[in-house]
Amino acid sequence: MNMISLKNIKKDYSSGDLTTKVLHGISFDIQEGEFVAIMGPSGSGKSTLMNILGLLDTPTEGDYILDGKNVSSLSDDEQARIRAQKIGFVFQSFNLLPRTSVLRNVMMPFIYNKSEHLSTKEREERAKKALSAAGFPENRWHNLSSHLSGGQIQRVAIARALVNNPVLILADEPTGNLDSKTSDIVLKTFQELNRKEGRTIILITHEHDVAAYADRCIIIKDGVISEN
Amino acid sequence: MKIQDLVQETNTALFANKSRTFLTVLGIVIGIASVIIMLAIGKGAQNEIQSSINSLGSNLLTVIPGTSRGGPSGTGTGGKPLTIADANAIRDKILLVDEVSPELTTRSQVVAGAQNINTTITGIVPEYQKIKSIDMEIGIFITEGQNRNFSKVAVLGPTVRDSLFGIDSNPVGQKVRINANTYTVIGVTKSKGGSGFSNPDDMIIIPLSTAAQYLSGGDSLSSISVTTVETEDLKQVEKEIEELLLERHAIRNRDPELADFSTFNMADLSEAAASVTGIFSLLLGSVAGISLLVGGIGIMNMMLTTVRERTREIGLRKAIGARSKDISNQFLLESVLITCIGGIFGIILGVGVAQLITLSGILTTSVSLFSIILALGVSAIIGIGFGYYPARRAAKLNPIEALRYE
């Protein structure tokens, strides 16, 4: 079953009279349970693509079907609702809340997910499960996020992306700020999530080494797919 | 977003930077407290002025000879003087009148033994005691019989007693000489304190008949005090007295512009004082309002700084599914919470300081429920008003740009 189906996605940015075409018609499908890397040099349009895939931006043209639903032209609030229910983000710069415990960081997505009404206890259970799945050591669950190492921080971020059981995990350069050793650990975590739990993962990167962890690689160059 | 989530997020944010939150709250505390203190002082001053006016008699009306309407003034400028007959006519002909007290006031030298002072001598009738609500410290007040018999008796004010016979002495039975006549002291009034126009403590009271006979040598009066049973009747009685006296004094066409007497009542005075103290309160309140406004700007400042500092966090929250409304609610609640906490502590501080002012004896302040409700309402409005712009700014952030913000 297609988890994601992009059909001729185009994206223009206009400022004043000047229109910059970033994506020139991108089409591909991603199956449920796939681990896909989207690669490309900077300026290739992969960030724009990732914003569209993550429903942070809307395409100028084309259709985006996510989990059987056309989501290419939704209002801001509808986009937010789908982000809350179906997409888990992992960012390059982690973006954890400072001075806040690991557990509360992981529980944050529940605040904005209206479809599930969980008690604080259920939320904690789910957060702990997500932390275990992301391979985060149990003895640090109550630590403040500012007292963790880079690899641990990114695992917390992965757990946060998992906690709402999203259909899609979008990781945007998740290892960009990590050394090669911790990168390996984090990427292996993604691999395990994909293999053991069957999660659909899209990994956006500009490094071949990183892309090598994925099962499939889509390469973007100058706004078009050059290799799939 | 559930309410308890919203409250928890807000608490976390406020506690994240305790000293900044504290200083911002302090701004509101000072603003609210000063509004409450200033209004309490204004109200206290108003009460004090009103009560000293009321101590003169709230249903009191005074008629004096001469005019206050710009024409010739004083008793000796052509018009007829007020007489005891006028006073009797007022008592007999006007229905709503309660008491009428004709008075004759002069200044004279008073001698007792070796002491010699110059003071006010007032000739009165017994009704004077009720009208001016005079209490006796020692002895008795002037009686109707003494007035009828031209008795040479005197009631001293406490200040006069202190000067002539020594502080807190009992002069009853002693003699004082006023204008070559000897009077027997029959009582001393209780101290009332100076209240406005004259000092009732620095005065000697003698029967009106005696004063007319031995001091002024005629029956013209200095004033006629009239009370009504009900304060509401004052205006009506004042009008009727005016008509009566215009007729008795044979004023041409009974034209009030030509009257050779004037009336004034305590209700008018009290109204005038109320409007003055009202302006006074308004002035104090607006000064305090400015400090509240400054406190509000402090909140806006803090919230704008917070929005900037937490841009990435806002981006993240939006990315994981927060709607614009969730974000703006969170920031709005932060600023409302700050003002409400500030408002509550401001009320406590304001009421406390108002109590201290009362205890220190400077002024009996009065904190009204209205000022507390006003303060709370204003602080909530400030929270929403000054928090709205920063909250909108946070909500409008584009998540993509916010996440990249350094």
Side-chain angles (χ1 to χ4, degrees):
Chain A
M1 183 196 150
N2 279 350
M3 181 56 66
I4 285 172
S5 182
L6 293 190
K7 286 174 189 146
N8 198 26
I9 293 286
K10 292 182 183 174
K11 180 70 185 177
D12 305 336
Y13 288 106
S14 42
S15 67
D17 298 336
L18 201 74
T19 305
T20 320
K21 296 194 173 190
V22 181
L23 299 177
H24 304 274
I26 298 230
S27 307
F28 59 78
D29 295 331
I30 292 174
Q31 308 289 312
E32 188 177 348
E34 265 193 292
F35 185 6
V36 180
I38 295 179
M39 267 195 70
S42 47
S44 60
K46 67 178 189 310
S47 290
T48 305
L49 181 61
M50 125 99 196
N51 289 337
I52 289 171
L53 284 172
L55 286 170
L56 292 168
D57 208 347
T58 44
T60 317
E61 235 179 86
D63 288 319
Y64 171 18
I65 289 135
L66 171 68
D67 200 17
K69 193 179 179 231
N70 192 335
V71 292
S72 34
S73 52
L74 296 177
S75 73
D76 284 354
D77 282 358
E78 284 171 317
Q79 282 188 333
R81 193 170 55 82
I82 291 181
R83 284 200 300 270
Q85 290 167 12
K86 301 198 170 176
I87 302 172
F89 286 92
V90 180
F91 301 98
Q92 176 177 2
S93 49
F94 321 127
N95 287 321
L96 297 191
L97 297 183
R99 293 180 289 257
T100 308
S101 76
V102 166
L103 217 48
R104 276 210 50 202
N105 261 291
V106 177
M107 281 157 65
M108 194 171 70
F110 290 126
I111 296 171
Y112 303 108
N113 188 348
K114 285 209 157 174
S115 63
E116 290 192 85
H117 295 286
L118 301 172
S119 69
T120 314
K121 216 176 160 195
E122 287 170 312
R123 287 178 177 189
E124 248 172 62
E125 287 305 311
R126 293 263 298 266
K128 284 172 182 173
K129 247 169 83 183
L131 279 166
S132 302
F136 187 85
E138 190 175 337
N139 58 350
R140 288 173 184 263
W141 282 354
H142 296 280
N143 280 23
L144 295 185
S145 59
S146 17
H147 299 165
L148 301 174
S149 68
Q152 286 169 336
I153 290 176
Q154 199 57 302
R155 281 165 185 248
V156 175
I158 293 170
R160 182 180 63 196
L162 286 174
V163 79
N164 258 336
N165 272 326
V167 296
L168 171 68
I169 292 171
L170 266 180
D172 183 14
E173 303 271 11
T175 57
N177 288 353
L178 301 175
D179 59 48
S180 57
K181 209 175 142 200
T182 36
S183 289
D184 182 59
I185 297 169
V186 166
L187 290 167
K188 283 212 167 109
T189 309
F190 279 116
Q191 260 181 348
E192 269 179 41
L193 286 172
N194 172 251
R195 283 176 195 160
K196 285 193 183 157
E197 301 195 10
R199 301 271 179 186
T200 313
I201 299 170
I202 299 179
L203 182 69
I204 288 129
T205 183
H206 64 278
E207 289 175 81
H208 284 281
D209 306 354
V210 175
Y213 287 84
D215 303 331
R216 180 180 148 204
C217 193
I218 298 171
I219 297 172
I220 304 221
K221 229 174 195 174
D222 301 324
V224 290
I225 293 177
S226 67
E227 230 179 278
N228 191 342
Chain B
M1 200 170 181
K2 283 200 277 182
I3 293 292
Q4 67 252 46
D5 286 333
L6 186 64
V7 172
Q8 194 177 19
E9 290 301 304
T10 306
N11 275 340
T12 313
L14 288 180
F15 277 102
N17 201 331
K18 290 190 196 73
S19 53
R20 185 167 64 196
T21 305
F22 171 75
L23 289 174
T24 312
V25 168
L26 191 63
I28 293 299
V29 169
I30 290 170
I32 294 287
S34 53
V35 166
I36 288 183
I37 294 165
M38 291 302 180
L39 290 181
I41 288 175
K43 187 78 189 149
Q46 196 167 354
N47 290 346
E48 212 141 288
I49 290 169
Q50 285 302 340
S51 80
S52 70
I53 287 172
N54 288 345
S55 79
L56 298 172
S58 64
N59 48 357
L60 183 65
L61 173 73
T62 308
V63 188
I64 54 167
T67 172
S68 61
R69 293 192 175 90
S73 62
T75 40
T77 50
K80 287 186 182 169
L82 286 177
T83 60
I84 292 169
D86 286 331
N88 291 338
I90 290 170
R91 180 171 51 222
D92 297 341
K93 295 204 173 148
I94 296 171
L95 281 176
L96 294 167
V97 161
D98 185 27
E99 304 280 1
V100 176
S101 161
E103 291 147 32
L104 202 172
T105 304
T106 57
R107 283 194 79 85
S108 177
Q109 210 63 26
V110 181
V111 182
Q115 302 299 320
N116 184 342
I117 60 164
N118 187 289
T119 189
T120 307
I121 317 292
T122 306
I124 52 87
V125 294
E127 285 85 349
Y128 184 86
Q129 185 180 15
K130 190 180 167 198
I131 285 184
K132 301 281 165 126
S133 40
I134 289 172
D135 292 323
M136 298 304 293
E137 184 184 319
I138 315 163
I140 55 160
F141 199 70
I142 308 289
T143 64
E144 187 51 52
Q146 287 160 341
N147 192 33
R148 211 181 302 122
N149 297 331
F150 301 87
S151 302
K152 293 201 196 82
V153 290
V155 171
L156 307 185
T159 311
V160 174
R161 184 268 315 268
D162 291 350
S163 315
L164 291 179
F165 297 101
I167 290 165
D168 289 341
S169 58
N170 182 353
V172 172
Q174 307 267 19
K175 308 286 182 194
V176 291
R177 285 178 64 79
I178 306 168
N179 229 6
N181 290 299
T182 305
Y183 292 74
T184 308
V185 176
I186 57 167
V188 178
T189 61
K190 232 179 216 163
S191 174
K192 287 185 90 177
S195 55
F197 316 106
S198 63
N199 184 352
D201 295 346
D202 187 11
M203 185 190 277
I204 294 178
I205 297 167
I206 61 174
L208 178 64
S209 58
T210 316
Q213 181 89 353
Y214 300 109
L215 287 180
S216 73
D219 69 348
S220 56
L221 300 172
S222 317
S223 64
I224 303 171
S225 295
V226 180
T227 58
T228 58
V229 182
E230 301 296 335
T231 309
E232 298 80 62
D233 297 334
L234 216 49
K235 296 256 181 222
Q236 175 66 23
V237 168
E238 185 174 17
K239 210 175 125 226
E240 288 178 21
I241 288 175
E242 239 174 59
E243 281 165 6
L244 178 71
L245 292 182
L246 286 171
E247 191 188 331
R248 285 181 58 84
H249 287 201
I251 303 298
R252 181 156 47 89
N253 299 335
R254 295 195 189 161
D255 180 0
E257 292 295 318
L258 301 173
D260 55 2
F261 62 90
S262 322
T263 60
F264 61 87
N265 67 58
M266 283 301 161
D268 287 348
L269 185 68
S270 146
E271 258 169 46
S275 89
V276 170
T277 50
I279 290 167
F280 175 64
S281 298
L282 193 69
L283 187 76
L284 286 177
S286 37
V287 170
I290 289 169
S291 72
L292 196 53
L293 185 72
V294 173
I297 292 169
I299 287 190
M300 197 154 171
N301 185 22
M302 165 180 162
M303 294 309 296
L304 285 173
T305 315
T306 308
V307 169
R308 174 156 300 187
E309 276 178 1
R310 288 160 61 191
T311 300
R312 286 253 296 270
E313 180 195 323
I314 294 163
L316 170 77
R317 286 178 187 274
K318 285 195 147 186
I320 64 174
R323 292 166 304 158
S324 297
K325 219 178 99 190
D326 296 326
I327 300 290
S328 67
N329 281 349
Q330 190 185 331
F331 282 89
L332 213 51
L333 187 69
E334 268 179 46
S335 81
V336 169
L337 216 60
I338 285 176
T339 52
C340 286
I341 294 168
I344 288 164
F345 282 104
I347 287 169
I348 294 170
L349 181 69
V351 172
V353 171
Q355 293 293 333
L356 275 182
I357 293 174
T358 304
L359 286 178
S360 74
I362 301 164
L363 183 74
T364 307
T365 56
S366 158
V367 178
S368 60
L369 187 64
F370 166 77
S371 72
I372 290 177
I373 292 170
L374 181 82
L376 269 183
V378 165
S379 59
I381 288 168
I382 282 177
I384 294 168
F386 286 94
Y388 183 78
Y389 172 67
R392 283 302 304 161
R393 215 154 110 159
K396 275 187 179 162
L397 282 174
N398 178 332
I400 301 166
E401 284 161 25
L403 279 167
R404 266 195 229 120
Y405 183 86
E406 291 298 330

